[in-house]
C-alpha cells in the first residue's frame, strides 16, 4: 500500500526531459540551458572561512543556526527591506529554500478551514515543491494561471469567495520562475490585503530577489510592514543559491512573525537537518557581504542586454525584469526542445513541464525556458542558436 495522494503525480521535469531528448543525438557541442544552476564564480574567500572553522565539523550544529548566521540574516533583511526582525525569534536558517517552502505548509496550515478541506494557492507554472507541500497535508492545490494576460503573475484576487474561504496559504514567487516577472508593491498590497480579509498566509518565495535590472524588487515583508499587517501574515524565503552563486552551500532562511517561526522551529526539532557549523560560518559571511552580489547582478544585466539584442524582434518575446530565465514563446514546447537539441545541440526545458492543466489547458505549453547561467560567451552562443533555429529571420 502507498499513499493515494501521491499516486497520480506526473513524472518530474528532469526525468521527463531526459526521456524526451536522450533518445536523440545532439546537433552540436552540448549547451545546457535547462537547470537554473548558477555558473558565475562565488566569493573566493568562502573556502577560507570554511577552513578557519573546520573544527566545527566535530560538533552537531544547532537546529536554529548559530547566532552569527541568524544575525547575518536579520541584518540582510533590514539592509534590503528596511524591516527589523529579531534574530532569535523571527528568522530561522534553512538547508536550502525548498526545505522551508515544503515545511511551512506542514507547520503552519491547519487540517481544515471553516469546516472544509483546506486549499493552498499557487501560480501556474510553478516551482514543483508548492504542489507537493499541498498534497502532503491533504490540501487542494489550486493552480492559478500566470500568463501574459495577467503579466505572468497569478491573479489571486479573481478567485471565488468559496475558494478563498477555505484557503490557508498562497505561494507566490517574485521575481517569478520561469517568467522573470516582478510583483509590484501594489500587487503585494492587494495579495496581503486579500490574505488579511480571508485569513490565510502568504508564502513569498523571493530566492531570485537579488538578480534584477534597474530598481530592486519590492519585498513582501516590507509591504506588509508598511500596511500594518499581522507580522505572521507573510512568510518569506531566501537563499544564497542565486544571490551568491552558491547552490551547493544550501544556505537559505525563512523569516516571519515570532509565532510562525516558533511553529516552524518546533517541526524542525523533529525533522530538520541543519547545516554543518563551518558552512554556517561561511554563509554568515556571505549574507553580510554585498560587493559580490552587485558584481554578480551586473553580469546578468549584460546577459539581459544580449537577449534583448538577439531576440528583441521575436513576436511575443518579453524581456525579463529579473531572475535569469528566458521564457520564450513557441508553437509546441516539446517539439521546440527536440528541434533545438537535434539541430543545434542546445538543451532547454519545455514550459509545459513546469505547469499543470487548468480547465484543460497547460499554460506553460506555448513556451520554453532557457537558463542564462553559463558564462557570458556561452550564454550568447546559446541564445544565438535558439534564435537561428527557432526564429529564423
Amino acid at each position: 500500500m502507498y499513499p493515494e495522494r501521491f499516486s497520480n503525480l506526473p513524472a518530474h521535469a528532469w526525468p521527463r526531459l531526459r526521456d524526451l531528448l536522450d533518445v536523440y543525438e545532439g546537433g552540436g557541442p552540448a549547451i545546457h540551458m535547462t537547470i537554473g544552476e548558477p555558473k558565475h564564480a562565488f566569493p573566493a574567500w568562502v573556502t577560507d572561512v570554511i577552513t578557519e572553522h573546520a573544527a566545527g565539523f566535530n560538533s552537531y550544529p544547532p537546529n536554529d543556526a548559530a547566532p552569527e548566521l541568524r544575525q547575518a540574516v536579520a541584518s540582510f533583511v533590514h539592509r534590503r527591506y528596511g524591516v527589523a526582525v529579531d534574530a532569535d525569534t523571527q528568522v530561522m536558517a534553512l538547508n536550502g529554500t525548498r526545505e522551508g517552502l515544503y515545511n511551512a505548509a506542514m507547520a503552519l496550515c491547519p487540517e481544515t478551514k471553516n469546516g472544509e478541506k483546506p486549499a493552498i494557492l499557487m501560480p501556474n507554472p510553478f516551482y514543483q515543491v508548492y504542489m507537493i507541500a499541498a498534497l502532503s497535508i491533504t490540501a487542494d492545490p489550486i493552480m492559478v494561471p500566470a500568463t501574459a494576460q495577467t503579466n505572468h503573475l497569478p491573479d489571486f484576487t479573481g478567485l471565488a469567495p468559496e475558494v478563498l474561504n477555505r484557503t490557508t496559504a498562497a505561494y507566490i514567487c517574485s521575481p517569478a520562475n520561469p517568467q522573470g516577472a516582478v510583483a509590484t508593491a501594489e500587487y503585494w498590497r492587494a495579495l496581503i490585503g486579500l490574505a488579511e480579509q480571508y485569513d490565510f498566509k502568504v508564502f513569498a518565495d523571493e530566492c531570485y530577489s537579488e538578480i534584477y535590472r534597474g530598481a530592486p524588487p519590492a519585498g513582501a515583508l516590507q509591504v506588509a510592514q508598511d500596511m500594518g499587517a499581522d507580522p505572521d501574515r507573510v512568510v518569506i524565503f531566501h537563499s544564497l543559491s542565486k544571490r551568491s552563486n552558491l547552490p551547493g552551500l544550501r544556505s537559505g532562511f525563512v523569516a516571519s512573525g515570532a509565532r510562525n517561526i516558533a511553529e516552524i522551529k518546533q517541526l524542525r526539532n523533529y525533522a530538520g537537518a541543519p547545516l554543518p557549523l563551518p558552512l554556517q560560518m561561511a554563509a554568515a559571511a556571505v549574507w553580510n557581504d554585498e560587493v559580490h552580489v552587485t558584481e554578480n547582478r551586473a553580469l546578468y544585466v549584460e546577459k539581459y542586454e544580449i537577449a534583448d539584442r538577439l531576440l528583441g524582434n521575436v513576436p511575443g518575446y518579453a524581456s525579463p525584469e529579473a531572475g535569469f530565465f528566458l521564457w520564450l514563446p513557441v508553437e509546441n514546447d516539446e517539439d521546440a526542445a527536440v528541434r533545438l537539441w537535434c539541430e543545434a545541440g542546445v538543451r532547454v526545458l519545455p514550459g509545459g513541464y513546469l505547469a499543470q492543466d487548468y480547465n484543460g489547458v497547460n499554460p506553460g505549453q506555448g513556451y520554453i525556458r532557457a537558463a542564462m547561467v553559463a558564462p557570458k560567451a556561452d550564454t550568447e552562443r546559446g541564445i544565438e542558436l535558439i534564435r537561428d533555429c527557432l526564429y529564423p529571420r
Side-chain angles (χ1 to χ4, degrees):
M1 298 290 291
Y2 296 96
E4 289 188 10
R5 62 186 179 274
F6 299 132
S7 61
N8 293 318
L9 287 179
H12 199 274
W14 306 122
R16 288 179 71 184
L17 183 67
R18 289 191 292 271
D19 289 345
L20 177 70
L21 298 184
D22 287 357
V23 295
Y24 304 103
E25 184 176 347
I31 297 179
H32 295 277
M33 303 184 76
T34 52
I35 192 168
E37 183 178 64
K39 296 301 182 184
H40 297 170
F42 59 79
W45 42 260
V46 167
T47 52
D48 296 332
V49 179
I50 295 172
T51 300
E52 179 185 349
H53 293 89
F57 283 121
N58 199 224
S59 303
Y60 284 117
N63 185 65
D64 298 348
E68 295 90 340
L69 178 52
R70 295 199 309 271
Q71 186 56 59
V73 166
S75 296
F76 166 78
V77 173
H78 187 262
R79 188 170 66 245
R80 175 65 169 81
Y81 297 114
V83 178
V85 292
D86 186 274
D88 294 326
T89 64
Q90 289 187 268
V91 301
M92 190 183 77
L94 299 171
N95 198 334
T97 51
R98 183 164 55 179
E99 175 207 357
L101 290 164
Y102 181 84
N103 283 334
M106 302 289 287
L108 302 179
C109 293
E111 291 83 355
T112 62
K113 172 81 178 289
N114 292 325
E116 296 185 89
K117 183 179 182 180
I120 294 184
L121 314 180
M122 61 197 67
N124 192 19
F126 58 96
Y127 184 34
Q128 305 298 294
V129 73
Y130 307 160
M131 178 179 71
I132 297 303
L135 295 175
S136 294
I137 62 169
T138 64
D140 286 331
I142 307 297
M143 299 166 190
V144 182
T147 65
Q149 289 70 39
T150 62
N151 296 317
H152 293 295
L153 293 169
D155 180 14
F156 294 134
T157 62
L159 293 172
E162 52 264 32
V163 173
L164 294 168
N165 278 327
R166 63 188 185 95
T167 294
T168 58
Y171 283 101
I172 177 68
C173 185
S174 174
N177 170 13
Q179 307 98 323
V182 172
T184 63
E186 291 74 21
Y187 182 95
W188 284 122
R189 276 194 289 271
L191 175 55
I192 294 167
L194 192 72
E196 293 264 86
Q197 178 183 353
Y198 286 95
D199 191 23
F200 62 84
K201 298 185 188 298
V202 175
F203 292 164
D205 181 356
E206 298 179 326
C207 68
Y208 296 91
S209 68
E210 305 313 288
I211 303 174
Y212 55 84
R213 65 207 305 176
L221 213 59
Q222 78 185 97
V223 174
Q225 175 180 265
D226 293 344
M227 293 174 64
D230 180 348
D232 289 292
R233 184 64 60 197
V234 170
V235 189
I236 67 168
F237 304 85
H238 286 250
S239 91
L240 294 179
S241 296
K242 282 72 177 177
R243 172 187 182 269
S244 303
N245 307 310
L246 284 164
L249 189 62
R250 309 312 302 139
S251 176
F253 74 81
V254 55
S256 187
R259 288 177 298 171
N260 279 348
I261 296 302
E263 294 294 326
I264 293 171
K265 285 182 178 180
Q266 175 70 343
L267 176 61
R268 200 169 202 253
N269 283 330
Y270 290 93
L275 288 179
L277 273 170
L279 303 188
Q280 291 193 30
M281 295 299 102
V286 176
W287 282 114
N288 279 326
D289 183 70
E290 293 292 339
V291 173
H292 76 280
V293 182
T294 301
E295 294 170 350
N296 186 49
R297 184 161 49 244
L299 295 176
Y300 282 112
V301 169
E302 291 179 2
K303 295 179 185 181
Y304 297 152
E305 293 168 352
I306 290 170
D308 291 348
R309 172 170 53 82
L310 295 175
L311 300 172
N313 292 328
V314 171
Y317 168 74
S319 180
E321 296 179 72
F324 50 52
F325 295 115
L326 294 174
W327 189 236
L328 301 175
V330 292
E331 186 173 341
N332 182 293
D333 59 334
E334 289 189 322
D335 288 351
V338 169
R339 183 178 173 188
L340 269 174
W341 174 237
C342 292
E343 296 183 13
V346 178
R347 292 175 78 98
V348 298
L349 186 67
Y353 292 8
L354 296 169
Q356 295 286 302
D357 283 359
Y358 175 82
N359 289 338
V361 176
N362 183 315
Q365 283 184 338
Y367 296 87
I368 55 171
R369 192 189 78 173
M372 299 187 292
V373 293
K376 179 179 174 181
D378 295 338
T379 297
E380 182 166 9
R381 180 59 180 153
I383 297 174
E384 285 177 340
L385 290 169
I386 291 172
R387 178 199 61 190
D388 295 344
C389 182
L390 298 182
Y391 312 107
R393 289 164 291 181

